[in-house]
Amino acid sequence: MTRGLVVGNWKMNLDHVEAVHLTQQLVSVLASRPAQHVDVTVAPPFVDLRSVASVVEAERSLISVAAQHVNDHESGAFTGEVSVTMLRRLGVATVLVGHSERRSLFHMDDQLVASTLRAVRRGGLDAILCVGESLATREARDERSFVRAQIAAALGALEGHDGVTVAYEPVWAIGTGQSATTTQVAEMVDEIRDEAARCGYAAARVLYGGSVTADNAAQIATEGRVDGFLVGGASLKAESFAAIVSACNDCYAERR
Ligand code: PEP
């Protein structure tokens, strides 16, 4: 049986001083409420990564550190970008790949998602592949084939069978306060598991992301049959993030 996974995506929030503060709060709240069945990861902005990793190391915390993005090249003339090797040397274990904000705001198409995923896995880091349909795609009832195509384009380009988690994040649910229903989540999770298995990733964990809060996490975890969450807004406060971790942990404790 796999362990759950809850990931906090801090996006472009918190400078390194604020990031250290939130990490210290998280370490302390998670130490008082241990989540035995769930892995916990935070994804701060690039400039905070070393500070956050230092706190985690100093406190001997099990929280792991992820980056929100990476360039698909090893090194070279790519002003403003960072490489997988640079991240690994900072203590980063995981990289988010193809978040919808990267896809829509920074022209990350399926091809670039695939080459970035390849670079992350080649460099020995784990990846969280983000997929999800727009509202227009869902209204056209094309969401299943759309998400399957995103997964096939990304996983089809890989050679291995592990080290990738898939996060289902419907674009219309991100940061809107309107999460997907548990039925919508469960249906898409089945679809994603099937497509991931077809691509050789039968054991990949599947997360849900999109307006997850301390109030809806338990129900989505149980009825949506997810392995955990990718959390944006609610990950910026230690209490709400820890409550989501607890909800996921309780769900896993019951599944055992
Ligand atoms: C996200 O950014 O991946 C996300 C799910 O954001 P939010 O939880 O704020 O909807």
Side-chain angles (χ1 to χ4, degrees), residues 87-204:
L87 293 178
R88 198 179 47 236
R89 293 196 66 184
L90 285 180
V92 168
T94 305
V95 185
L96 305 188
V97 179
H99 188 281
S100 70
E101 286 151 19
R102 300 296 320 177
R103 291 181 190 256
S104 65
L105 302 173
F106 302 100
H107 315 293
M108 202 172 182
D109 59 15
D110 277 345
Q111 209 182 339
L112 185 51
V113 169
S115 63
T116 305
L117 190 61
R118 260 200 316 273
V120 169
R121 290 302 297 135
R122 232 189 353 245
L125 299 189
D126 287 345
I128 298 175
L129 168 66
C130 302
V131 297
E133 80 287 357
S134 66
L135 188 57
T137 302
R138 180 160 281 270
E139 283 173 349
R141 302 195 174 171
D142 204 18
E143 70 276 7
R144 295 184 192 207
S145 53
F146 182 85
V147 167
R148 273 187 181 268
Q150 283 184 319
I151 293 171
L155 295 185
L158 291 181
E159 278 150 23
H161 301 285
D162 57 7
V164 180
T165 294
V166 181
Y168 170 52
E169 297 206 300
V171 176
W172 47 271
I174 296 180
T176 60
Q178 186 203 342
S179 68
T181 66
T182 55
T183 308
Q184 288 170 327
V185 174
E187 279 172 3
M188 193 59 91
V189 165
D190 285 348
E191 211 74 41
I192 289 171
R193 289 197 202 284
D194 189 62
E195 186 63 29
R198 209 183 59 77
C199 297
Y201 283 80

Side-chain angles (χ1 to χ4, degrees), residues 7 9-11 96 99-101 130 169-170 173-177 208-213 230-235:
V7 184
N9 175 14
W10 296 356
K11 309 196 187 193
L96 305 188
H99 188 281
S100 70
E101 286 151 19
C130 302
E169 297 206 300
I174 296 180
T176 60
Y208 168 76
S211 298
V212 175
T213 64
L230 178 51
V231 186
S235 70

Side-chain angles (χ1 to χ4, degrees), residues 61-76:
S61 168
L62 293 177
I63 295 173
S64 80
V65 182
Q68 299 172 15
H69 175 62
V70 74
N71 190 274
D72 60 336
H73 293 83
E74 268 293 306
S75 61

Side-chain angles (χ1 to χ4, degrees), residues 8-14 18 22 25-26 43 45 231-241:
N9 175 14
W10 296 356
K11 309 196 187 193
M12 197 175 74
N13 294 295
L14 310 181
E18 295 163 330
L22 177 57
Q25 288 180 324
L26 262 182
V231 186
S235 70
L236 295 172
K237 294 267 180 286
E239 261 311 319
S240 51
F241 188 60

